[in-house]
Amino acid sequence: MRIDIVTLFPAMVEPVLGESMLGRARRRGVVDIRVANLRDYADGKHRITDDYQFGGGGGMVLKPEPLFAAVENLRTPGARVILMDPRGRTFTQAVARELARVEHLILLAGRYEGVDERVSEQLADDAISIGDYVLTGGELPALVIADAVTRLQPGALGAEGAAERESFASGLLEPPQYTRPEEFRGERVPAVLLSGDHARITRWRRAQALWRTWRSRPDLLRHAALSVEEQRLVERFERGEAVPDI
Ligand code: SAH
């Protein structure tokens, strides 16, 4: 898979892409992530990329020409062009899974007051927001998307199967995880995790995931596929009972 990030501030993006799991995935060829400097696509001696907005109101807006030139240069037949935009559809794990299947993503990072509207009308196939807040630019959103999409690529994660158990994969939040030591500051790792009984561990994890989701993100439960037994568990939580010892 290939991802291009188009930005006025490549130095904000590049160091993140070189570290840890993203860096390793790139070096191993799991993803080919490139950073394009928007200024390289601007014309004239001063390579101007932004200008005052028509109608007043202050604040600079990214001009359309450099963004069009960048995309026209980077585009491949399988490319999807996505504008980082607080007005776009909200990025979720489901959107990450959808984008992980696209051959080539071109992520456009806006700046200042935003981007000339003709970019979303004529150039971008999609607009994505990473949440209901406003950042100073689209660089962090582009990195968020590149990161979430990269870790879904086959071979990006160390342990196969880890991606299936984690938060949102099944519509629920992840169950608690523990590592050594078995006892830390008076708190022991739940005995079930040391029992070696895999069926019991699976049931415990599922019940814990349900409990955590019910407690902090009840909105997610409306869309989760629950078995009859799991629905009964949720009813117990609603009656104020704690997670049963499975
Ligand atoms: N005036 C705009 C905000 C501009 S912020 C408005 O009110 O909608 C500048 C740029 O940062 C945007 O063009 C976008 O590319 C990026 N950005 C800011 N917040 C974002 C978010 N929550 N999700 C995605 N991109 C965001």
Side-chain angles (χ1 to χ4, degrees):
M1 169 176 208
R2 175 171 158 189
I3 303 175
D4 285 285
I5 300 177
V6 181
T7 167
L8 263 179
F9 298 96
M12 254 188 92
V13 175
E14 260 150 5
V16 179
L17 297 173
E19 288 293 327
S20 186
M21 204 190 269
L22 272 180
R24 221 174 315 129
R26 275 174 100 193
R27 286 190 294 276
R28 291 211 314 255
V30 172
V31 277
D32 175 9
I33 310 183
R34 307 179 197 184
V35 184
N37 189 342
L38 185 60
R39 202 164 298 284
D40 293 344
Y41 293 95
D43 283 333
K45 195 168 125 222
H46 299 292
R47 296 191 171 270
I48 290 171
T49 53
D50 58 300
D51 209 336
Y52 292 100
Q53 56 177 304
F54 284 124
M60 307 302 276
V61 169
L62 288 189
K63 290 162 67 61
E65 307 95 311
L67 283 161
F68 274 71
V71 168
E72 279 155 13
N73 182 249
L74 299 168
R75 209 196 270 280
T76 59
R80 170 119 53 116
V81 181
I82 307 177
L83 179 65
M84 304 300 104
D85 187 349
R87 302 169 305 173
R89 59 188 178 124
T90 308
F91 192 59
T92 60
Q93 190 65 18
V95 176
R97 277 195 293 268
E98 172 200 322
L99 299 183
R101 290 191 296 267
V102 178
E103 210 172 288
H104 181 191
L105 296 176
I106 302 178
L107 308 179
L108 307 178
R111 268 276 148 186
Y112 315 119
E113 279 310 307
V115 180
D116 186 286
E117 189 65 19
R118 286 162 292 192
V119 170
S120 40
E121 274 169 10
Q122 296 175 34
L123 187 66
D125 303 307
D126 203 351
I128 290 185
S129 162
I130 62 160
D132 289 346
Y133 39 80
V134 180
L135 300 165
T136 56
E139 287 74 16
L140 294 172
L143 285 171
V144 165
I145 293 172
D147 186 294
V149 162
T150 297
R151 67 195 295 290
L152 288 174
Q153 298 302 310
L157 290 184
E160 292 304 329
E164 277 140 46
R165 204 170 53 233
E166 66 195 10
S167 296
F168 309 112
S170 60
L172 301 179
L173 302 181
E174 187 178 66
Q177 306 180 118
Y178 296 87
T179 184
R180 275 185 290 224
E182 267 180 50
E183 186 180 334
F184 178 68
R185 299 203 175 181
E187 193 184 336
R188 294 193 64 80
V189 172
V192 53
L193 294 178
L194 311 172
S195 69
D197 179 343
H198 293 293
R200 230 183 112 210
I201 292 173
T202 301
R203 275 201 314 279
W204 181 86
R205 282 184 168 150
R206 186 79 186 167
Q208 289 287 334
L210 263 179
W211 162 249
R212 302 209 151 213
T213 310
W214 180 79
R215 198 182 47 184
S216 50
R217 290 293 305 279
D219 56 302
L220 293 177
L221 283 183
R222 280 196 291 278
H223 307 287
L226 302 185
S227 68
V228 176
E229 197 188 332
E230 287 168 342
Q231 275 162 11
R232 284 211 191 100
L233 259 180
V234 170
E235 285 159 20
R236 289 178 65 168
F237 300 155
E238 276 159 6
R239 288 198 300 270
E241 296 171 29
V243 199
D245 192 20
I246 288 171

